[in-house]
Amino acid sequence: PITQVIAIDGPSGVGKSTVAKAVANHLGWTYLDTGATYRAVTLAWLEADSDPSLLEQPTWLQNLGVDFQAGDILLGTRRVNKAIREPEVTANASFVSAQAAVRTYLTELQRQIARKRPCILDGRDIGTVVFPDALLKVFLTADDAVRAKRRWYQIGGDQANQTLDEVLTALQERDRKDSSRTLAPLKPAKDAWTLETNTLSQEEVIDRIECEARRRF
Ligand code: C5P
């Protein structure tokens, strides 16, 4: 059976979350940021002195209580929306998300949330692993330089505390790790619709995905 899910996968900084949020809004569906769940576990792990053995313990993971509530990402009762965007979390997320027990826990959590209502999920492995039977699978791409520039402007451009070059290097490093890992690597599903966005505005990308989604209902 086809699941009432739209999967949006792709590399860092390609605009997945902005696009997924807008499409969800237009369709009246729920938006689920799966990257935020990996970031939340990464934050908790850094706060637990980065003990690698914790990432192999299903009970430690379950007790973190990763959840979404009214658009907030929670660790138990604590809202961590801001903390999970810190550079240290970003830099460590690829290591944490390559661990088998972490993926098992979060994949199941994402499925549980999305089975309750129509959802748009963005991430790296939604179309390949989490919901291979999704109604629509989109794989967004853009050249490294284009993505780095978008990300750099987003964090303030000339006012940012990172140079464009530093942003580019960090982004390439994260993509390399996410694409080369054994478990659920970043790659398009066989039946994904690959949308190259180098010369498309965000509005154009949103429109195209929304049109395609409506055609499939
Ligand atoms: O999407 P975002 O950049 O917030 O994701 C942070 C990290 O979480 C990614 O670099 C990746 O390592 C991991 N991730 C993942 N699978 C997903 C979503 C994110 O492995 N579905």
Side-chain angles (χ1 to χ4, degrees), residues 9 12 16 33-36 38-39 85 90 93-94 97 103 110 122-126 130 174 178 181 184:
D9 290 305
S12 314
K16 296 183 297 288
D33 176 357
T34 67
Y38 286 94
R39 286 170 178 273
R85 302 292 158 196
T90 307
S94 294
S97 66
R103 298 211 76 83
Q110 292 157 17
D122 76 345
R124 304 293 187 290
D125 64 337
I126 310 306
V130 186
R174 198 140 69 92
D178 289 342
R181 70 184 177 215

Coordinates of all heavy atoms in Angstrom, one line a residue, residues 9 12 16 33-36 38-39 85 90 93-94 97 103 110 122-126 130 174 178 181 184, ligand 1:
D9 N 14.6 14.0 0.2 CA 15.9 13.7 0.6 C 16.9 14.6 -0.3 O 16.5 15.1 -1.3 CB 16.2 12.2 0.3 CG 15.5 11.3 1.3 OD1 15.6 11.5 2.5 OD2 14.8 10.4 0.8
S12 N 23.3 18.3 2.4 CA 23.2 19.5 3.3 C 23.0 20.8 2.5 O 23.7 20.9 1.4 CB 24.4 19.6 4.1 OG 24.8 18.3 4.6
K16 N 16.1 21.6 1.7 CA 15.0 20.6 2.0 C 14.0 21.1 3.0 O 12.8 21.0 2.8 CB 15.6 19.3 2.5 CG 16.5 18.6 1.6 CD 17.0 17.3 2.3 CE 17.8 17.5 3.5 NZ 19.2 18.0 3.3
D33 N 11.0 17.0 10.5 CA 12.4 17.3 10.2 C 13.2 16.1 10.9 O 13.5 16.1 12.1 CB 12.7 18.6 10.9 CG 14.2 19.0 10.7 OD1 15.0 18.1 10.2 OD2 14.6 20.1 11.2
T34 N 13.5 15.1 10.1 CA 14.2 13.9 10.6 C 15.7 14.3 11.0 O 16.2 13.7 12.0 CB 14.2 12.7 9.7 OG1 15.0 13.0 8.5 CG2 12.8 12.3 9.3
G35 N 16.3 15.3 10.4 CA 17.6 15.7 10.8 C 17.6 16.2 12.2 O 18.6 16.0 12.9
A36 N 16.5 16.8 12.6 CA 16.4 17.3 14.0 C 16.5 16.2 15.0 O 17.0 16.4 16.1 CB 15.1 18.2 14.2
Y38 N 18.2 13.4 14.6 CA 19.6 13.0 14.7 C 20.4 14.0 15.5 O 21.3 13.7 16.2 CB 20.2 12.7 13.3 CG 19.7 11.4 12.7 CD1 18.6 11.4 11.9 CD2 20.3 10.2 13.1 CE1 18.1 10.2 11.4 CE2 19.8 9.0 12.6 CZ 18.7 9.0 11.8 OH 18.2 7.8 11.3
R39 N 20.1 15.3 15.3 CA 20.8 16.3 16.0 C 20.5 16.3 17.5 O 21.3 16.5 18.3 CB 20.3 17.7 15.4 CG 20.9 18.0 14.1 CD 20.3 19.3 13.4 NE 20.8 19.6 12.2 CZ 21.9 20.4 12.0 NH1 22.5 20.9 13.0 NH2 22.4 20.6 10.8
R85 N 21.2 23.4 16.7 CA 21.7 24.1 15.5 C 23.2 24.6 15.8 O 23.8 25.2 14.9 CB 20.9 25.3 15.1 CG 19.4 24.9 14.8 CD 19.3 24.1 13.5 NE 18.0 23.4 13.5 CZ 17.7 22.4 12.7 NH1 18.6 22.0 11.8 NH2 16.6 21.8 12.8
T90 N 26.3 20.1 14.7 CA 26.3 19.9 13.3 C 27.5 19.0 12.9 O 27.4 18.1 12.1 CB 26.4 21.2 12.5 OG1 25.3 22.0 13.0 CG2 26.3 21.0 11.0
A93 N 27.1 15.3 14.1 CA 25.8 14.6 13.7 C 26.1 13.4 12.8 O 25.4 12.3 12.9 CB 24.8 15.5 13.1
S94 N 27.0 13.6 11.8 CA 27.3 12.5 10.9 C 27.9 11.3 11.5 O 27.6 10.1 11.2 CB 28.2 13.0 9.8 OG 27.6 14.0 9.0
S97 N 25.0 9.6 13.6 CA 23.9 9.1 12.7 C 24.4 7.8 11.9 O 23.6 7.2 11.3 CB 23.3 10.1 11.8 OG 24.3 10.5 10.9
R103 N 20.2 4.6 14.4 CA 19.3 4.6 13.2 C 18.1 3.7 13.5 O 17.0 4.1 13.1 CB 20.1 4.1 12.0 CG 21.2 5.0 11.6 CD 21.5 5.0 10.1 NE 20.5 5.8 9.3 CZ 20.6 7.1 9.2 NH1 21.6 7.7 9.6 NH2 19.6 7.7 8.5
Q110 N 10.4 7.8 13.7 CA 9.9 8.6 12.6 C 8.7 7.9 11.9 O 7.7 8.6 11.6 CB 11.0 8.8 11.5 CG 12.1 9.7 12.0 CD 13.4 9.5 11.3 OE1 13.5 8.9 10.2 NE2 14.5 10.0 11.9
D122 N 11.7 15.2 5.7 CA 12.9 15.5 4.9 C 14.1 14.9 5.7 O 14.1 14.7 6.9 CB 13.2 17.0 4.7 CG 13.6 17.8 5.9 OD1 13.5 17.3 7.0 OD2 14.1 18.9 5.7
G123 N 15.1 14.4 4.9 CA 16.3 13.8 5.5 C 17.3 13.3 4.5 O 17.5 13.9 3.4
R124 N 17.8 12.1 4.7 CA 18.8 11.5 3.8 C 18.3 10.2 3.3 O 18.8 9.7 2.2 CB 20.2 11.3 4.6 CG 20.8 12.5 5.2 CD 21.2 13.6 4.2 NE 21.9 14.7 4.7 CZ 21.4 15.6 5.5 NH1 20.1 15.6 5.8 NH2 22.1 16.7 5.9
D125 N 17.5 9.5 4.1 CA 17.1 8.1 3.8 C 15.6 7.8 3.8 O 15.2 6.7 4.0 CB 17.8 7.2 4.8 CG 17.3 7.4 6.2 OD1 16.8 8.5 6.5 OD2 17.4 6.5 7.0
I126 N 14.8 8.9 3.7 CA 13.4 8.7 3.8 C 12.8 7.9 2.7 O 12.1 6.9 2.9 CB 12.6 10.1 3.8 CG1 13.3 11.0 4.9 CG2 11.2 9.9 4.2 CD1 13.4 10.5 6.3
V130 N 13.2 4.7 5.3 CA 12.2 5.0 6.3 C 10.8 4.7 5.7 O 10.0 4.0 6.2 CB 12.2 6.4 6.8 CG1 11.2 6.6 8.0 CG2 13.6 6.7 7.4
R174 N 30.6 16.8 5.5 CA 29.3 16.2 6.0 C 28.7 15.3 4.9 O 28.3 14.2 5.2 CB 28.4 17.3 6.5 CG 27.3 16.8 7.4 CD 27.0 17.8 8.5 NE 26.4 19.0 8.0 CZ 25.1 19.2 8.0 NH1 24.3 18.2 8.3 NH2 24.6 20.3 7.6
D178 N 28.0 11.3 5.0 CA 26.7 10.8 4.9 C 26.5 9.9 3.7 O 25.7 9.0 3.7 CB 25.7 12.0 4.8 CG 25.6 12.8 6.2 OD1 25.9 12.2 7.2 OD2 25.1 13.9 6.1
R181 N 28.7 6.2 4.3 CA 28.4 5.3 5.4 C 27.7 4.0 4.9 O 27.1 4.0 3.8 CB 27.6 5.9 6.5 CG 26.2 6.2 6.1 CD 25.5 7.0 7.2 NE 24.1 7.3 6.8 CZ 23.5 8.4 7.1 NH1 24.0 9.3 7.8 NH2 22.3 8.6 6.6
A184 N 22.1 3.1 5.5 CA 21.2 4.2 5.0 C 22.0 5.4 4.5 O 21.8 6.5 4.9 CB 20.3 4.6 6.1
Ligands
C5P1 O1 19.2 17.6 7.8 P1 20.3 18.0 8.8 O2 21.4 18.7 8.2 O3 19.7 18.7 10.0 O4 20.8 16.6 9.4 C1 21.9 16.5 10.3 C2 22.6 15.2 10.1 O5 21.7 14.1 10.5 C3 23.0 14.8 8.7 O6 24.3 15.4 8.3 C4 23.0 13.3 8.7 O7 24.2 12.8 9.2 C5 21.9 13.0 9.7 N1 20.7 12.5 9.1 C6 20.6 11.2 8.7 N2 19.4 10.7 8.2 C7 18.3 11.6 8.1 C8 18.4 12.9 8.4 C9 19.6 13.4 8.9 O8 21.5 10.4 8.8 N3 17.2 11.1 7.6

